[in-house]
């Protein structure tokens, strides 16, 4: 599981940062890539990575501003053209369905795979045996969502070698032991399943937020996350601008990370007013409050490791 | 007057060629740039040129396929963000108005300059004292247009020095001479205006066609043009594919150029199946029929010179 930033800028593309898109790569977990937002030229950025459009299984849209959605119609068309045949599901706020359907219709684009578009607000956007994606409304002037991706815990595997060493014959009791039950063997021995299970593995949590002012919902979405991706459109000094334009500063993003007790914060959605060396001072502003912070650049990848 | 290719590929962006957009730069003529088509990431391509989005006065769309229009909403938004305040007019086939209005509305994009969208078919798309833009339907399976940009002839300027040398006093007769009339001076001399006019300058003609099969309308639009830009999605051998997909081959583009008696042909909209060295053989196929042919690459510029 890793996160690759395909675009880390705000508002408009610049030479150094494209507009927003983030790829959560779940190749080992489910041979899939989930995109979060899809600004213009996201498919162009993808050309410079190893991501295959046909592997994109889900696209989560945070809000309807152009710098987060204008790359969607092109990517959907190219995914079909490049042999994508499997279901693609798009999650997003009200309006996303009409946007996708209208743009494809008016451009005579016939995609060959099933496309599902689900408009979400607060609650659970998606859940299966492996992942649950919770969603909450943030504060951005227009409806804007944050997503909390929760990998489900995996129980420890049954240590078969250990059972064989004790001459426990394979059979239905293996299943009972695996579920952690205590069983009585025919020879009278009693075995506790817990003693024969490898370590239980906690699922990872990745929280990816849309554009927002500093707000309580962000803390809720990010609670104990392994990785929090939070916007920082402005530097610490520009907190009035951040408030006026419904954005956050570096320090505000760091405060959320601290309060939510996350392991790592990556700030992104950097305004083009900050160039080159400014990045370092932006990053330092955040690190003063939350030390384990990075500032994202296009094409940077962050691994999210399982806990030992 | 020059033409800069911002995207020369077909269907999907590739590393080497972006999807279609062509800038007709009229900086000396009217301090303006006219775009023809606006595929995704056209605004990104513009970042690597000297083109200022606020100088874009008109955008002519040939057809509604995504590789020709998906860059429009982003460019329109950025033009506003970057201080564009003057009227922008978009010309295009049926559907272009709904596409632009819907995408801007659904993305909460409020542009600060007046935007006019005119759906055109056959006839005159635009005319003022300087230029006339004629439009005709081509053959592409979906409604698709070709544009013929005609610069109006400029009459020769009055050679004032020559008149002064003959002691002809300035006054209303200068105006009459300028219009080519014969006038009688008070001292009895007769002067023919034609003798005092510099060379009359013929306007230039640039023809930019959308995707199309080889067709008669292309010849009509390109007749005697200084520059014809014609698609060549396929090589000579793939004429059946070209027909099936409503496109043209290199040779067909060259035939149109020959028949229309143009001065120069530039072929573009090259399928990504052709890579690197293929370009040379594609170009040679066209040159066998029409020698003054070039094959466009992204960011190449073609000057259109006035005739001497
Ligand atoms: Zn944004
Ligand atoms: Zn095309």
């Amino acid at each position: 599981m890793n996160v690759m930033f395909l675009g880390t800028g705000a508002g408009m593309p610049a030479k150094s940062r494209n507009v927003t898109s983030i790829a959560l790569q779940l190749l080992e977990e489910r041979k899939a890539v989930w995109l979060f937002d899809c600004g213009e030229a996201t498919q162009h950025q993808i050309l410079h990575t190893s991501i295959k459009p046909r592997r994109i299984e889900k696209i989560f849209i945070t809000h309807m501003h152009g710098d987060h959605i204008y790359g969607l119609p092109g990517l959907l068309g190219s995914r079909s053209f490049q042999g994508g045949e499997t279901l693609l599901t798009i999650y997003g706020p009200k309006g996303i369905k009409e946007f996708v359907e209208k743009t494809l219709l008016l451009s005579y684009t016939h995609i060959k795979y099933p496309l599902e578009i689900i408009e979400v607000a607060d609650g659970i956007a998606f859940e299966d045996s492996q992942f649950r994606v919770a969603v909450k409304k943030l504060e951005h002037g227009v409806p804007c969502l944050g997503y909390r991706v929760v990998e489900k815990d995996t129980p420890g595997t049954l240590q078969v070698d250990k059972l064989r060493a004790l001459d426990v014959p394979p059979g239905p009791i293996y299943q009972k032991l695996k579920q952690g039950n205590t069983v009585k063997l025919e020879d009278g021995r009693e075995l506790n399943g817990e003693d024969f299970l490898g370590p239980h593995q906690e699922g990872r949590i990745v929280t990816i937020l849309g554009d927002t002012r500093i707000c309580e919902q962000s803390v809720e979405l990010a609670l104990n996350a392994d990785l929090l991706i939070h916007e920082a459109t402005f530097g610490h000094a520009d907190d009035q601008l951040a408030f006026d334009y419904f954005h956050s500063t570096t320090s505000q993003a760091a405060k959320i990370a601290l309060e939510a007790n996350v392991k790592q914060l990556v700030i992104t959605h950097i305004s083009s007013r900050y160039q080159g060396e400014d990045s370092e001072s932006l990053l330092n502003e955040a690190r003063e409050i939350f030390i384990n912070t990075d500032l994202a650049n296009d094409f940077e990848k962050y691994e999210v490791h399982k806990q030992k």
Side-chain angles (χ1 to χ4, degrees), chain A:
Chain A
M1 182 191 278
N2 68 59
V3 165
M4 180 181 272
F5 287 87
L6 297 171
T8 59
M12 279 194 315
K15 275 188 200 171
S16 51
R17 298 183 185 277
N18 196 32
V19 285
T20 298
S21 184
I22 298 168
L24 177 64
Q25 302 203 72
L26 302 170
L27 296 173
E28 280 170 33
E29 293 76 10
R30 55 198 290 141
K31 293 187 172 53
V33 174
W34 292 359
L35 277 193
F36 290 77
D37 286 334
C38 190
E40 184 177 354
T42 294
Q43 65 165 326
H44 297 65
Q45 296 289 89
I46 285 175
L47 286 176
H48 298 277
T49 71
S50 61
I51 296 172
K52 305 260 172 299
R54 67 169 186 276
R55 287 252 186 261
I56 298 172
E57 181 199 14
K58 295 177 183 297
I59 304 178
F60 297 87
I61 298 295
T62 63
H63 64 298
M64 294 294 293
H65 280 153
D67 57 325
H68 297 253
I69 62 167
Y70 284 166
L72 208 39
L75 179 67
L76 297 178
S78 295
R79 185 181 188 269
S80 182
F81 203 76
Q82 292 176 317
E85 291 178 343
T86 55
L87 173 68
L88 176 69
T89 308
I90 300 174
Y91 306 84
K94 191 165 163 37
I96 191 65
K97 195 171 161 69
E98 188 179 1
F99 176 80
V100 171
E101 289 178 351
K102 272 285 174 193
T103 51
L104 295 183
L105 181 74
L106 288 170
S107 61
Y108 309 97
T109 305
H110 309 289
I111 55 176
K112 289 176 205 136
Y113 52 83
L115 177 66
E116 183 185 28
I117 306 171
I118 302 176
E119 296 190 342
V120 295
D122 284 81
I124 304 299
F126 165 72
E127 181 159 17
D128 69 3
S129 63
Q130 232 182 350
F131 285 95
R132 185 175 58 244
V133 182
V135 58
K136 276 183 193 290
K137 281 195 183 159
L138 305 176
E139 295 181 12
H140 189 49
V142 306
C144 186
L145 306 169
Y147 293 98
R148 175 182 172 90
V149 179
V150 180
E151 184 187 33
K152 296 194 175 176
D153 296 349
T154 34
T157 51
L158 189 66
Q159 294 167 310
V160 173
D161 291 351
K162 209 165 156 185
L163 288 167
R164 290 217 173 120
L166 293 174
D167 284 328
V168 182
I173 62 158
Y174 271 47
Q175 191 57 37
K176 287 182 187 160
L177 289 167
K178 198 178 165 183
Q179 288 158 0
N181 300 315
T182 296
V183 297
K184 195 165 182 172
L185 301 183
E186 286 183 6
D187 60 16
R189 285 183 290 171
E190 270 197 6
L191 301 179
N192 182 350
E194 298 290 350
D195 299 335
F196 300 92
L197 289 176
H200 162 104
Q201 205 147 43
E202 265 186 57
R204 292 157 287 186
I205 299 170
V206 175
T207 297
I208 301 176
L209 304 179
D211 297 3
T212 188
R213 277 183 188 161
I214 184 169
C215 69
E216 190 52 35
Q217 304 89 283
S218 297
V219 177
E220 294 164 11
L221 285 168
L223 204 65
N224 299 323
D226 293 86
L227 175 62
L228 165 62
I229 297 167
H230 195 296
E231 71 127 295
T233 312
F234 294 101
H236 177 68
D238 288 324
D239 60 339
Q240 187 59 49
L241 279 180
F243 183 84
D244 292 347
Y245 290 101
F246 291 93
H247 283 296
S248 298
T249 66
T250 48
S251 315
Q252 290 170 338
K255 270 180 204 152
I256 296 290
L258 188 70
E259 214 179 311
N261 187 40
V262 307
K263 293 204 180 56
Q264 182 174 22
L265 166 66
V266 180
I267 53 177
T268 184
H269 201 267
I270 311 297
S271 164
S272 62
R273 68 175 60 203
Y274 307 108
Q275 296 282 332
E277 295 151 27
D278 298 335
S279 298
E280 209 179 308
S281 62
L282 291 175
L283 178 56
N284 286 337
E285 289 171 4
R287 283 188 175 166
E288 268 180 38
I289 293 168
F290 187 80
I291 184 69
N292 201 9
T293 302
D294 277 302
L295 186 148
N297 292 301
D298 288 18
F299 302 115
E300 277 178 0
K301 205 161 84 175
Y302 290 85
E303 291 291 338
V304 187
H305 296 287
K306 284 216 176 191
Q307 295 179 57
K308 294 286 150 41

